[in-house]
Amino acid sequence: MGYPAATTRAFQYGLFIFTLTALLGLANATQLFGALDRNTLLTHLHSGTLGWITMGVIGLSIWMFGGSGATLARNVMLSAIATAAYVLAFWSGNFQARAIFGTIELLVILYWWWFAVSRGLAEGFGRLDIPKLSVIFGLTTLVIGSTVGVTVQIILGTGNQLPTTTDLVGAHAAAQVGGYLILVAAGVIEWQLTGGGKRTAAGLVQVALLFVGGLILSVSQLIASQLPAQAQQALPGIATLLTLAGAIVVVFRVGRAAVGVSWTEGAKRHIAVATGYLLLGVVLFGLLVQQFIAAQGDPSKVSIGLLHSVDHVYFVGLMTNIIFGAILVASADRPRVWPWADNVIFWGLNLGIASFVAVLLTQGSGEGAKPFASYVAYTAPIMGLSALLGIVTFSMRLMASPQMMRAPAPA
Ligand code: HEM
Ligand code: HEM
């Protein structure tokens, strides 16, 4: 599989910004600097979801849709600068800066959405395979979720209060996590494991279930107060069932290819393990939605440990594994700096996530605890240090120039 230079660039910028996410995660895990304030937590969150994951998704989209040329590489750079600026605006706590840079970030997202859609249209929408359709619908949900996010920023940036009749932040989070990430992940997993190229009825049902599930969940947050009590409870439930059905179709369609990868070496195991996280994430997300319904608008009744488990199963288990796997494939033609690191990164990242999530689910959140008082301080760093090792190793590999193909030895 050939891949464009702009993809390498997007991965490099993503890895760079991910450093901040991982360092803030380590500070949060150990509580060495005390409890992190809201601005810093939002920086951890959006440096991860926009700076790392969405820059990675941009790289994957360019690769999947066959983009090339210097203009695209320049646009990747501008996107990374805009994203870094928005992440810093979160950290600054300045609502005006968040509104301005959030709007610029939305333009960046619209640009990459159009990049994928226009290439899809050129190929013929009726002929696109399931991975490409998944990415296009995923990016469409990203546009919707980000528009809601920017609306929040503009309301706050102009000195107004968020309306109490609608849950804009809930609608934003639901679209991004419940729609965008899962659609893109399903598409990339299938493409990397099977090579893509297929457009089957089951695949189309999968895309429809995941897209509609995410959309209903998001819209149900927006219009909840206008609905009768029964519908308020039913809609999120229906949405999660649709998403769960979609995730089960994913597992049926790619499960065999996932189980068959080499678990002792290589890139594919990162993609294969992500398939398991996809299902786990949707199940935990369903439980979380049930808790939100039962809490009837009182967030203190929702388990913070469960909420943070869902976050990291999606953001690290699912998306970081996928992007790390894709980077390993993309750098396979370059010198393999630190070959020993591959196993440490794979097992460290995944044992780290598993133990961190197990602690969050059984013991609960460690935020606000004394330094090293919670088991979170001993599990999350395994994940964070493995991520940092991945950042350094993969950055060095992507920086090296591709190796020349060796001419076959004369007979
Ligand atoms: C242009 C892009 C984006 C904008 C403008 C944006 C904006 C926002 C805003 C304003 C908040 C609420 C902050 C507060 O509580 O004061 C927020 C929270 C959040 N965002 Fe984003 N965001 C963007 C991208 C994303 C992406 C790509 C994801 C995930 C893939 C994401 C996931 C979340 C989550 C999970 C929350 C937390 C909701 C909660 O407090 O429970 N955001 N975002
Ligand atoms: C893409 C990457 C990541 C994203 C998007 C992300 C997102 C989040 C979010 C949304 C929260 C909840 C913050 C809140 O209280 O509102 C959180 C908490 C946390 N994150 Fe991350 N995270 C990522 C990677 C990491 C990494 C690599 C570590 C490694 C150490 C980490 C460690 C933590 C810890 C320890 C908590 C507090 C959990 C608790 O005790 O409840 N995160 N993260």
Side-chain angles (χ1 to χ4, degrees):
M1 250 188 283
Y3 62 91
T7 293
T8 309
R9 286 265 168 272
F11 288 160
Q12 284 173 313
Y13 294 127
L15 285 166
F16 183 72
I17 303 179
F18 192 32
T19 313
L20 177 63
T21 317
L23 291 177
L24 291 177
L26 286 171
N28 205 3
T30 53
Q31 297 283 308
L32 270 175
F33 306 96
L36 303 184
D37 64 16
R38 182 90 193 126
N39 293 336
T40 312
L41 289 173
L42 286 170
T43 307
H44 174 63
L45 163 53
H46 288 93
S47 62
T49 55
L50 286 168
W52 166 234
I53 295 174
T54 302
M55 282 311 297
V57 169
I58 290 172
L60 287 163
S61 307
I62 296 171
W63 185 359
M64 187 183 268
F65 288 93
S68 62
T71 312
L72 215 54
R74 187 206 56 203
N75 291 347
V76 166
M77 185 185 69
L78 293 177
S79 304
I81 293 172
T83 306
Y86 184 41
V87 168
L88 293 177
F90 263 117
W91 215 353
S92 74
N94 181 307
F95 286 119
Q96 282 80 27
R98 285 186 190 175
I100 293 165
F101 289 109
T103 308
I104 296 173
E105 183 65 21
L106 177 61
L107 295 178
V108 166
I109 286 169
L110 275 168
Y111 171 81
W112 292 108
W113 169 79
W114 178 244
F115 166 81
V117 170
S118 58
R119 295 206 165 230
L121 287 174
E123 210 174 303
F125 219 70
R127 283 200 302 274
L128 288 182
D129 67 3
I130 301 303
K132 284 185 178 151
L133 277 176
S134 305
V135 169
I136 286 182
F137 278 100
L139 291 175
T140 304
T141 315
L142 173 66
V143 169
I144 298 169
S146 303
T147 307
V148 179
V150 167
T151 308
V152 172
Q153 299 292 42
I154 291 175
I155 294 175
L156 296 174
T158 46
N160 294 298
Q161 298 284 326
L162 291 181
T164 47
T165 47
T166 174
D167 182 359
L168 289 170
V169 176
H172 165 69
Q176 308 293 52
V177 182
Y180 159 51
L181 290 187
I182 189 147
L183 271 157
V184 168
V188 176
I189 289 173
E190 177 175 346
W191 174 56
Q192 288 281 332
L193 284 183
T194 69
K198 286 207 186 111
R199 185 184 168 105
T200 59
L204 291 174
V205 169
Q206 168 195 310
V207 177
L209 285 169
L210 296 179
F211 180 64
V212 175
L215 208 58
I216 295 183
L217 188 66
S218 179
V219 172
S220 72
Q221 308 299 302
L222 284 181
I223 58 167
S225 65
Q226 279 114 55
L227 294 172
Q230 264 182 335
Q232 273 181 33
Q233 312 235 334
L235 268 189
I238 293 169
T240 22
L241 281 180
L242 293 178
T243 308
L244 181 62
I248 292 172
V249 180
V250 174
V251 173
F252 266 106
R253 294 187 54 248
V254 301
R256 191 188 291 261
V259 174
V261 303
S262 162
W263 292 92
T264 50
E265 57 168 13
K268 298 285 184 221
R269 55 186 172 168
H270 279 284
I271 313 281
V273 80
T275 317
Y277 283 114
L278 188 138
L279 193 58
L280 175 67
V282 171
V283 170
L284 292 178
F285 197 68
L287 293 175
L288 186 67
V289 171
Q290 289 310 310
Q291 283 202 2
F292 269 109
I293 296 173
Q296 294 192 328
D298 179 359
S300 67
K301 290 199 181 130
V302 175
S303 156
I304 301 297
L306 176 60
L307 177 64
H308 293 177
S309 303
V310 171
D311 287 340
H312 293 89
V313 167
Y314 273 91
F315 301 146
V316 186
L318 181 63
M319 295 310 299
T320 301
N321 265 307
I322 287 180
I323 306 172
F324 273 6
I327 291 177
L328 277 167
V329 175
S331 59
D333 63 348
R334 290 153 199 252
R336 200 161 151 236
V337 183
W338 293 358
W340 54 268
D342 289 18
N343 268 327
V344 182
I345 295 165
F346 178 76
W347 293 110
L349 190 75
N350 287 295
L351 293 175
I353 304 162
S355 55
F356 175 39
V357 166
V359 167
L360 285 175
L361 290 176
T362 52
Q363 178 202 289
S365 167
E367 279 180 355
K370 292 216 166 63
F372 293 103
S374 156
Y375 285 116
V376 166
Y378 300 94
T379 48
I382 306 175
M383 172 178 88
L385 293 173
S386 312
L388 282 176
L389 180 63
I391 291 169
V392 176
T393 309
F394 298 152
S395 297
M396 286 195 297
R397 290 190 195 169
L398 289 173
M399 245 185 312
S401 26
Q403 280 168 328
M404 302 294 285
M405 294 295 282
R406 243 185 253 143

